[in-house]
Amino acid sequence: MSPTIVRACAIIHEGLSDDLSLEDIARRVSISPFYFSKLFKEETGENFIDYVTMARLRRAKELLADPALSIKEISGSTGYSDPNYFSKLFKRIVG
């Protein structure tokens, strides 16, 4: 992967609990949103939203191993403010 996309992926993984937008990440790696979207898809094989969603759900799986954490805490720490939405999304994609 190009250094730009490696940097973008690092920003995404560091900020999974934040509100991540394609425009913000593109700005942070100093390229246009249109070009970033195209390059990201070419290099990762996924569009930006799908990549972020799957990264968040992988992190949620890790957090679910800790019985001390509630679904509300896990949803918040993976960027989802609505635990119900998080639960439905997790169940639909992960099972």
Side-chain angles (χ1 to χ4, degrees), residues 10-91:
I11 292 168
I12 291 166
H13 288 277
E14 290 167 7
L16 288 176
S17 63
D18 302 333
D19 184 25
L20 298 170
S21 72
L22 183 140
E23 291 79 11
D24 180 49
I25 303 297
R27 181 186 50 75
R28 291 174 68 182
V29 296
S30 303
I31 59 176
S32 77
F34 177 79
Y35 181 63
F36 174 70
S37 179
K38 181 180 181 299
L39 187 63
F40 194 87
K41 172 79 174 182
E42 286 174 2
E43 294 197 20
T44 66
E46 294 180 90
N47 69 40
F48 177 78
I49 295 297
D50 291 344
Y51 184 89
V52 171
T53 299
M54 294 311 294
R56 285 177 167 166
L57 293 179
R58 280 190 296 274
R59 178 70 180 133
K61 279 191 205 177
E62 294 169 5
L63 295 174
L64 283 166
D66 184 349
L69 296 174
S70 70
I71 296 295
K72 184 175 181 178
E73 291 169 317
I74 293 170
S75 68
S77 66
T78 55
Y80 296 101
S81 58
D82 182 352
N84 292 324
Y85 174 76
F86 165 76
S87 294
K88 287 177 187 175
L89 179 69
F90 190 89
K91 185 176 181 180

